[in-house]
Amino acid sequence: MTERQMQIGEVAERTGLSLRTIRHYEEVGLVVPSARSKGGFRLYTEADVDRLMVIRRMKPLDFSLEEMRDLLEITDRLAATDGPPGQDERARLRERLDAYRKISEARCETLRARLDMAEDFAATLRRRLDATA
């Protein structure tokens, strides 16, 4: 059974990314369409959509394109079935992956604190507006 392939429009709809953004990620080498149609249209698989979702989730945490590329290379290598990493390499890759996890958790905490401050500010404005009514 062949894997289902999607055109870029469907991928954009599923990921919430614009066509332009998906093409940009292709240009910088973060994602490569799995195939092309006879007419030259980009065709993506579920694995490509998953990859784009990883990138999408990294973006609000201010990861650079290079960091995104590095993380994707780590996960690709860990998932490799043809020439899988040896025990030592696997341990190093897992350490690097864990470092990204720690950075992500720290950035989430920072964002939560900023959101709390923003909500407090909005509440202050509501109270002042109500007081002047």
Side-chain angles (χ1 to χ4, degrees), residues 30-80:
L30 292 178
V31 67
V32 178
S34 291
R36 293 266 181 175
S37 70
K38 289 180 183 176
F41 293 105
R42 293 167 175 87
L43 296 174
Y44 298 88
T45 62
E46 200 61 46
D48 298 325
V49 171
D50 291 344
R51 188 175 188 89
L52 283 164
M53 289 305 295
V54 168
I55 297 165
R56 180 175 169 224
R57 290 176 182 124
M58 291 180 81
K59 188 129 179 73
L61 296 176
D62 291 327
F63 283 101
S64 68
L65 291 175
E66 191 55 43
E67 289 169 320
M68 291 177 187
R69 184 176 294 107
D70 184 48
L71 176 77
L72 291 168
E73 287 171 2
I74 291 167
T75 57
D76 288 349
R77 188 69 189 120
L78 284 169

Side-chain angles (χ1 to χ4, degrees), residues 91-107:
R92 283 191 301 277
L93 290 168
R94 288 182 49 80
E95 282 178 26
R96 289 172 55 203
L97 187 60
D98 192 46
Y100 278 106
R101 179 193 58 81
K102 289 174 182 174
I103 292 166
S104 296
E105 288 175 356
R107 290 182 183 180

Side-chain angles (χ1 to χ4, degrees), residues 4-16:
R4 181 174 173 269
Q5 296 179 325
M6 300 161 265
Q7 290 189 2
I8 194 169
E10 182 180 349
V11 172
E13 189 175 306
R14 291 204 34 211
T15 61

